[in-house]
Amino acid sequence: MIGERLQFHSISNNFVHQCQLDRLKHKSTIDIKVALTHFIRSGWIKNLTTSTLVFDIAQFFPSFNHQILPLILEKARFNIKVLNFFKNYLVSRKMTYLWNNFSSPLHNIDVGVGQGSVLSSILSALYLSPIFYILEKWLKNLKIPVSILSFVDNRLFISQNKSIHVLNANLFCSYNIFPNLLTKFGLVVEHRKTEVFHFSRQRREFNLPPVDLTLIGGAVLHPNESW
């Protein structure tokens, strides 16, 4: 019931960013396919190539900061009773590790939310929404033509241009901004899972230049041949 009310309130108040297509009612992975197909085909009509940078947030659910979450809920204009509930939600927890006959001492756990729990879907959407709003504003101010999509455990940067070099530069700049923003919310990008894709009507393009992310902790990404 709490999860249903959280979704209704946050969506009706337009707090959840429009790029978030995962784990919410009336949204599914089908939506991301439709949105991505629309991006690609609308670009082809204008003779543009569509490029995407796909990346993952490392240990997303275990990294929820319980001090930041109530601040986000307050920003979403939830009732004071809801705020008080979440200020005591998953607080003062302890965990021990068991391995055969070995038992570790108790460890305090002051971060995280259970992946797959009833509230994890809406809490993850609420936690990420301010990040996407801030990122969108930064990209607009810097005049970096990149769109954002978020689904399941993946996030996409999408850019369109006739030049692959320009597309790679747009994706690099976006990716350079995002990890710094994530750290302010206690999150980090899992660089080893980052991938790049180019969708072009030119069926045979050889030796496409890679996206070099080594300066910002990533790798040299060569375009994947299939999604």
Side-chain angles (χ1 to χ4, degrees):
M1 182 181 68
I2 294 174
E4 294 283 341
R5 293 301 300 172
L6 290 175
Q7 285 211 32
F8 176 80
H9 177 88
S10 55
I11 294 175
S12 61
N13 286 339
N14 295 318
F15 185 78
V16 175
H17 194 281
Q18 61 182 0
C19 79
Q20 294 174 266
L21 303 177
D22 55 330
R23 299 192 179 92
L24 297 173
K25 281 190 171 299
H26 311 300
K27 295 186 178 183
S28 67
T29 52
I30 295 177
D31 296 317
I32 186 66
K33 295 176 183 177
V34 172
L36 188 55
T37 301
H38 171 73
F39 268 109
I40 295 169
R41 292 196 172 274
S42 63
W44 286 353
I45 292 173
K46 303 174 185 177
N47 198 28
L48 301 175
T49 296
T50 299
S51 296
T52 65
L53 192 69
V54 187
F55 56 95
D56 190 14
I57 298 176
Q59 295 295 307
F60 175 51
F61 289 99
S63 301
F64 269 53
N65 188 308
H66 296 160
Q67 295 180 336
I68 294 178
L69 183 59
L71 298 177
I72 294 174
L73 296 174
E74 184 177 5
K75 189 73 174 177
R77 295 181 294 177
F78 279 99
N79 185 280
I80 187 64
K81 293 181 179 180
V82 177
L83 298 180
N84 290 335
F85 171 82
F86 278 98
K87 285 180 180 178
N88 293 283
Y89 179 63
L90 299 178
V91 173
S92 301
R93 294 184 302 159
K94 295 182 182 294
M95 179 174 67
T96 183
Y97 294 93
L98 300 176
W99 183 266
N100 294 329
N101 295 325
F102 169 79
S103 176
S104 72
L106 288 172
H107 299 277
N108 292 323
I109 305 176
D110 57 357
V111 294
V113 64
Q115 184 174 1
S117 69
V118 175
L119 295 179
S120 63
S121 59
I122 181 59
L123 291 182
S124 64
L126 289 169
Y127 200 90
L128 287 173
S129 281
I131 299 175
F132 289 130
Y133 280 116
I134 296 170
L135 177 63
E136 183 180 57
K137 184 176 180 179
W138 285 2
L139 292 175
K140 183 178 180 180
N141 291 340
L142 293 171
K143 297 181 180 180
I144 302 174
V146 167
S147 300
I148 317 163
L149 285 178
S150 173
F151 69 103
V152 192
D153 292 327
N154 294 312
R155 324 287 170 235
L156 271 72
F157 285 141
I158 305 173
S159 187
Q160 292 181 327
N161 200 282
K162 293 182 179 180
S163 168
I164 294 294
H165 293 282
V166 172
L167 290 171
N168 284 355
N170 291 339
L171 296 177
F172 173 87
C173 293
S174 305
Y175 195 77
N176 187 26
I177 294 171
F178 196 60
N180 295 327
L181 178 58
L182 281 181
T183 56
K184 299 180 185 299
F185 287 80
L187 303 171
V188 294
V189 172
E190 193 164 0
H191 293 296
R192 64 185 181 87
K193 292 185 178 181
T194 303
E195 299 177 287
V196 64
F197 299 86
H198 297 300
F199 299 92
S200 173
R201 299 195 82 167
Q202 299 180 25
R203 297 184 179 276
R204 298 181 65 83
E205 289 193 72
F206 297 98
N207 300 319
L208 291 175
V211 181
D212 188 353
L213 302 177
T214 54
L215 292 176
I216 51 179
V220 177
L221 300 181
H222 294 275
N224 286 10
E225 296 183 359
S226 61
W227 182 262

